[in-house]
Amino acid sequence: MGVRLQVFGVVLLGLLVSGGAGLLMHRVEMDNAGQALDRRVAAAQESVASTAQRYVDAVQLTAGSLEALPKIDAASFTTATAPLGQLWLPGATSIDLVVSVPDSSVAAAQADWRALGAAGLTLRGTAGVGRHYFTVLQRTLGEGAGPGAGADAGDVGQDLTGSAEASAALERAGRIGLPAISDPYVLPRDTGLPPQDRQQSVVLLQRVVDRVTGELRGFVQMTVRMQDFFVDTMLQPSRELLDVTLSALDGSGWQPMARMERHDAGAGDLRRTVLVQVADQQWQLAAGTDGTALIGADGHLDEGMVFGGLALTLVTALLVYTLATSRRRAEDRVTQATADLRHQATLLSAVMNTIGDGVVVFDPDGAAVWVNPTARGLLGHDIDRHPPAEWPELLEAYEADGVTPYQFRALVRQQVESQIELVVRGRRLDVRLRTLVGQDGAGGAVAVLRDVTELHEADEKVRASEELLQLLLDGARDYAIYMLDRQGVIESWSGNAERLTGYRADEAIGHSYGMFFTAEEGAAGVPRRILDQAAEHGRVEIDGPRVRRNGSRFWAHGLLTAVRHPDGTVRGFVKVSQDITERKTAERAVEQLNAELEVRVAERTADLREANAELESFSYSVSHDLRAPLRAVDGFAKMLALDHGDALDEQGRRYLARIRAGAQHMGDLIDGLLAFSRLQRQEMASLRVHLDQLVADVWEELGVERGTRDITLSVGDLPDAQGDPRLIRHVVANLVGNAVKYTRDVSPARIEIGHRVGPLSGEVMYYVKDNGAGFDMRYADKLFKVFQRLHRAEDYEGTGIGLALTHRIVLRHGGQIWADAVPGEGATFYFTLPAYENTGHTGHMLLEVGG
Amino acid sequence: MKPLSNRVLLVEDNPDDLELARLAFERGRFARNVDVARDGAEALDYLFGPAAADPPQVVLLDIKLPLVDGIDVLRRVKADQRTRHIPVVMLTSSAQDRDLHACYELGANSYIVKPVDMEQFMAAVNSIGLYWLGLNLTDAHS
């Protein structure tokens, strides 16, 4: 029941509304149409006036340029009228020069104009007229227009007096001096056309006068077919929606000149009439149309409204009926769907809240509308509470390099899946973005975020270690590193291995490493044995000749290291090979060099021995031969003293004593030199030297020098030294003797002998200290030089050889000697010797000295 | 027993040394004849020539000699059965003469550092055990 009532109500209401709306719409339409017509008529009026004015202007301009000509002939007319050919003047058929000719001179004028270029001009005068107005020159315009003048269309030579309308216009134009327009008439040239093509035309006339005398030279005439003119002029303002008629007034009323009808003829219930002023004439423009013609495509809005309303009413009623009957079903479906959706949403929400991946849902504008807890944790912010513009600052996200700030881009409205890596808050996120496109095109996107930091770091580590390994393998350019299986079959290969052996990877892998061995070694089973040794001992080092792919040999140093399975069985070997050919060559060169060196050393040693022998015999003979004259001096001086001493006075005997002392001193010098030079050549023993015993012996020997002097000797504990006892005895004798000698003027004299641990390990430092004369340290550098003395001979005798000899002995033992002294206070001499090492060699013990 | 020769052979090329030695013997009233050879060759001629049957009681032999070196003379004397018993005292310029060592190995009996004087001569003679020369000298002195 309710449904029927509803439908009835809907129908009734629809009818009322449709009818009322139709009436109202009709009224509105009519008002609107009147206003539209007014606008269009005004536009048409403006169009006719302005277009006609262009024709008038063209005629005036032509007349003006002809007036400027001193002489009008065919050529100058053509030139003067040339611009008109460029103008768009619809309906204008020609522009002409019309001249006035008295009936009596028609023949002469014809001859004259023919002479002026109007070829073939024939003047056809109207009978019974005293003065003719002939068209003598002509330029056709519009379609078929050509440059030629006077060679047209049949009305050149025509007399305008044949037409009442043209004559009247001629009369006005000549009188007013301004353009005049004729009443419409059919041009004589158009009279031959079929009636439907015959148009009303007008002529525009402007007189041409001599500017000096004011004498009339003729008229410029433009002929215009009005229908052509009108159609073109009206096309725009009418849009074929109007009936328009252009009329001119003549004696009998408004004469239509041109007419244009609208596309669909209708009631024509709207009309307007306006006047158009053109030159000296007034034209009437009449327009008519239907009220509906001007609005919309069909102009039947009011009717459409009624019928549409009815239809709508019916449909609505139907719809209401359908809706009412199926609402329950729809409600049920909606309820079910809502429940399903709720269920799905719950499931989805549960999934989203629990999965380890971050999920962000974006709306089509790119704003985050939903963020699951994982995403919130990964991003550190609820980005759904912030517009995308704030994200760059909020998230501080970087691209995979961790440095370049990530530029958030707008989501594209296409189905796109993309994957990027971002670094957010120090964590590396793998982001998979999938844009969603709904049925309407708008979609949004879902982003799935996964923390791949650890994965990435692990990858990085693997990559770094692989890189490192590769660097190592490549970097160790001199080493070929490759893998063998338990049987010695090559499993891996490297660029360096190829460089070393000449075999490419495909030529090496799968082959036994035995191919690098020489044929002899291969036959002897060397490769096999090496593997077995490496398996047994873990690793094995081998040197040997190897063969390259091209057969050339090189010397290789190889290291085989066994690689084991977890259970300890040998899985294979790592082989590291190095080309040591150069090293081998160098070693051989060194060996050869050493051999040569030994030969050379032997040669040199022989040379040296020879030289030494020569030197020895030289110094031997020197010492002997130098002594001989000395002996003579001393010997005979002695004889002189003994045999003839009584004959000499005291002074003479003193002189003799001086001679003998000099000779003896020279003998000492020669002895010292001899000892000094001999030390260079003498071979040194390396025995245990008891310094304390040596000191005791020397002290005993110095008994004569000491005499009855008051000397306190203190000897500390003296460790044994290693060296030549005879030579070291000289050192001790020299230093202690010096101490005795240089304390001669001191009483009591004190001499102290002791030791300290040497500055270097394995040596002992001894010292001999006295409180004697000392010396000036400024001259310490002369202390150990031969014949250099720091004291005058009359103060302390000496040869200047003793300390030099001591110095040399200490040096030959690898020790050092130096002194510290203050003049008048004493001197301390330090020297170092190798400490005695108890090597247990009894042979040395037997040769011990001083015990 | 074969009567003892009363001669001494002095082998010395240097006239000064020779003169000083003679002077020393003279001053020491050394009674024996002192024969002189001026080089090694002459010494050998003397020892293995006319004097072979009656050798000198002692030879004072300079180490450095012209023609035949003193060491060579010594070697020849000590190598020969006929002369090896003759005592030889080397004359040297220096007690540090490295040749002295060689001389002892060759059989030299003693040495004297030149110039020759009586004290050294007597010490050498005594060390050799030529007591008769000392007696003789004592006789001569007395």
Side-chain angles (χ1 to χ4, degrees), chain A residues 620 624 627 631 643 678, chain B residues 17 27 93 97 99 114:
Chain A
Y620 179 81
H624 280 83
R627 276 174 191 284
R631 275 197 305 275
D643 294 349
R678 196 157 49 212
Chain B
D17 286 336
R27 290 184 59 82
S93 295
D97 194 335
D99 288 338
K114 294 196 286 188

Side-chain angles (χ1 to χ4, degrees), chain A residues 734-750:
Chain A
N734 175 245
L735 294 178
V736 178
N738 280 347
V740 171
K741 180 160 75 180
Y742 291 104
T743 52
R744 185 189 296 161
D745 301 326
V746 181
S747 187
R750 281 195 312 276

